């Protein structure tokens, strides 16, 4: 268990859970929560026993409702620049982390909650999940990359619809829009996250990192550069113990035992 105040962290085998724990405000993330989540991600990245990280919300009603508006209403543009850099830094950590990060979304995932899910490698949601970028309803827009990421995920027309109308998106519709990988019945979310994490944990860690980087980094490059980036990631894996073990296990018709080297 963790000693954090706004999140709860626990490790179950190769899976590290980071649970947002401010249920009275639908797990809205204040500055302390942003700092603590970043620290927990760094700790999970540095722990060789952790293969997968899951982000979920405590309390049963929300993943996270995003930014804590009570901290923001009277801030100046300069103050907001400093504040939003915390969000940008957190999202960069998730995307750059070599381990898969899974968002388990139940209930409210509005504003920064949807922005956060856009940064994760997998999104599993429940039927009760409600995504949405509702900032337009309080006179602003998302300020930590959601418009850019959303456009790349769902296209210009749908991104503008989501951003400009600020309406909620139920879990099943989120899957259809490619905002989530799958939608499961209420009550089955954590089991679904655990099952997915188990599958990921059985794969070669360095190959997972290479696949993630090839999409997140190589996929944003012009195609000729992206193809070279992917080729480099592929070739580097042939210098690893896991590549030798994986191919040997395949030829010997047995499960591979990966060690992350």
């Amino acid at each position: 268990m963790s000693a954090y105040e706004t999140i709860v962290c626990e490790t179950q085998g190769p899976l590290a859970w980071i649970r947002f724990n401010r249920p009275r405000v639908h797990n809205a993330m204040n500055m302390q929560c942003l700092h603590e989540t970043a620290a927990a991600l760094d700790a999970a990245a540095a722990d060789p026993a952790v293969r997968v990280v899951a982000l979920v919300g405590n309390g049963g009603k929300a993943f996270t409702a995003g930014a804590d508006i009570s901290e923001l209403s009277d801030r100046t543009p300069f103050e907001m620049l400093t504040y939003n850099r915390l969000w940008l830094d957190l999202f960069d950590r998730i995307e750059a982390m070599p381990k898969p990060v899974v968002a388990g979304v139940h209930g409210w995932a509005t504003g920064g909650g949807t922005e956060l899910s856009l940064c994760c490698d997998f999104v599993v949601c429940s039927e009760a999940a409600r995504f949405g970028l509702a900032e337009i309803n309080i006179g602003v827009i998302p300020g930590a990359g959601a418009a850019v990421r959303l456009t790349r995920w769902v296209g210009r027309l749908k991104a503008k619809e989501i951003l400009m109308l600020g309406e909620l998106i139920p879990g099943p519709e989120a899957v259809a829009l490619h905002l989530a990988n799958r939608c499961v019945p209420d009550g089955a979310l954590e089991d679904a996250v655990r099952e997915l994490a188990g599958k990921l944990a059985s794969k070669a860690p360095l190959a997972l990192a290479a696949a993630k980087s090839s999409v997140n980094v190589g996929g944003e490059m012009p195609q000729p550069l992206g193809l070279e980036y992917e080729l480099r990631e592929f070739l580097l894996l042939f210098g690893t113990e896991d590549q030798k073990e994986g191919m040997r296990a395949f030829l010997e018709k047995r499960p591979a035992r990966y060690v992350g080297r």
Side-chain angles (χ1 to χ4, degrees):
M1 303 296 288
S2 71
Y4 299 111
E5 294 182 12
T6 65
I7 60 175
V8 176
C9 299
E10 58 181 321
T11 301
Q12 298 174 346
L15 174 60
W17 295 90
I18 299 176
R19 302 175 185 274
F20 305 117
N21 193 35
R22 305 185 73 221
R24 291 183 180 179
V25 289
H26 294 311
N27 295 324
M29 300 175 72
N30 58 10
M31 291 185 69
Q32 181 179 1
C33 187
L34 291 171
H35 284 298
E36 290 185 349
T37 303
L41 286 167
D42 288 347
D47 186 345
V50 171
R51 297 286 183 91
V52 184
V53 177
L55 303 176
V56 294
N58 271 350
K61 293 184 178 180
F63 172 60
T64 169
D68 189 337
I69 303 301
S70 67
E71 287 190 337
L72 310 182
S73 58
D74 296 324
R75 292 192 180 216
T76 67
F78 180 77
E79 290 170 333
M80 285 306 300
L81 173 62
T82 302
Y83 171 79
N84 265 48
R85 290 289 183 199
L86 295 176
W87 284 93
L88 289 164
D89 177 69
L90 177 63
F91 296 163
D92 285 345
R93 271 180 163 83
I94 293 171
E95 290 186 328
M97 189 177 192
K99 302 176 182 182
V101 180
V102 181
V105 178
H106 177 77
W108 303 105
T110 48
T114 291
E115 286 194 274
L116 178 62
S117 72
L118 288 170
C119 300
C120 294
D121 304 302
F122 295 86
V123 180
V124 181
C125 68
S126 72
E127 293 172 348
R130 293 295 182 267
F131 296 83
L133 295 167
E135 287 88 343
I136 197 74
N137 297 325
I138 56 173
V140 293
I141 64 170
V148 174
R149 289 186 176 95
L150 190 65
T151 301
R152 291 171 177 170
W153 268 226
V154 304
R156 290 165 61 105
L157 290 178
K158 185 57 69 171
K160 289 175 183 176
E161 179 182 326
I162 293 170
L163 287 163
M164 294 181 182
L165 293 180
E167 296 176 343
L168 296 179
I169 302 168
E173 185 180 344
V175 175
L177 289 172
H178 300 157
L179 295 177
N181 297 88
R182 66 192 67 164
C183 181
V184 300
D186 297 343
L189 180 63
E190 292 205 4
D191 285 341
V193 170
R194 197 175 287 108
E195 179 184 2
L196 174 60
K199 292 178 180 179
L200 290 167
S202 71
K203 311 300 183 186
L206 297 177
L208 286 175
K212 176 172 179 173
S213 180
S214 293
V215 173
N216 286 356
V217 180
E220 295 300 320
M221 296 176 174
Q223 183 165 307
L225 295 178
L227 294 174
E228 289 299 317
Y229 185 94
E230 180 182 333
L231 175 60
R232 187 198 69 170
E233 292 293 295
F234 169 79
L235 294 175
L236 288 173
L237 292 172
F238 276 77
T240 68
E241 294 178 26
D242 281 352
Q243 174 266 324
K244 303 297 186 291
E245 164 63 11
M247 293 190 176
R248 189 180 302 115
F250 175 82
L251 294 172
E252 296 173 0
K253 296 181 172 55
R254 60 171 175 80
R257 296 180 290 273
Y258 296 117
V259 293
R261 295 194 298 270

